[in-house]
Amino acid sequence: MLDSSTLDPVEIWEAPFLAVIARLAEPGSISRNERGAMAVSDFKRLAMKVWPA
């Protein structure tokens, strides 16, 4: 995550690759199914904050 005004890093999140692939494969939104995109909130549900700890 970057600060919107300075683009300095604020947080780093990490999610298991297989969990992300599984989420992208779930039926539902066009962004996930056709573009392979995921909302930040979806990613954060799968992920763990690694910096700052």
Side-chain angles (χ1 to χ4, degrees):
M1 303 295 295
L2 300 176
D3 181 286
S4 61
S5 61
T6 64
L7 298 181
D8 289 332
V10 178
E11 301 174 339
I12 297 175
W13 291 76
E14 182 177 47
F17 178 75
L18 294 177
V20 172
I21 295 301
R23 177 66 177 138
L24 290 173
E26 290 178 6
S29 74
I30 291 173
S31 63
R32 268 199 328 271
N33 299 143
E34 293 184 10
R35 295 192 306 265
M38 181 185 304
V40 172
S41 59
D42 278 350
F43 181 81
K44 286 173 98 174
R45 277 188 222 114
L46 301 172
M48 182 175 75
K49 189 193 304 187
V50 295
W51 183 83

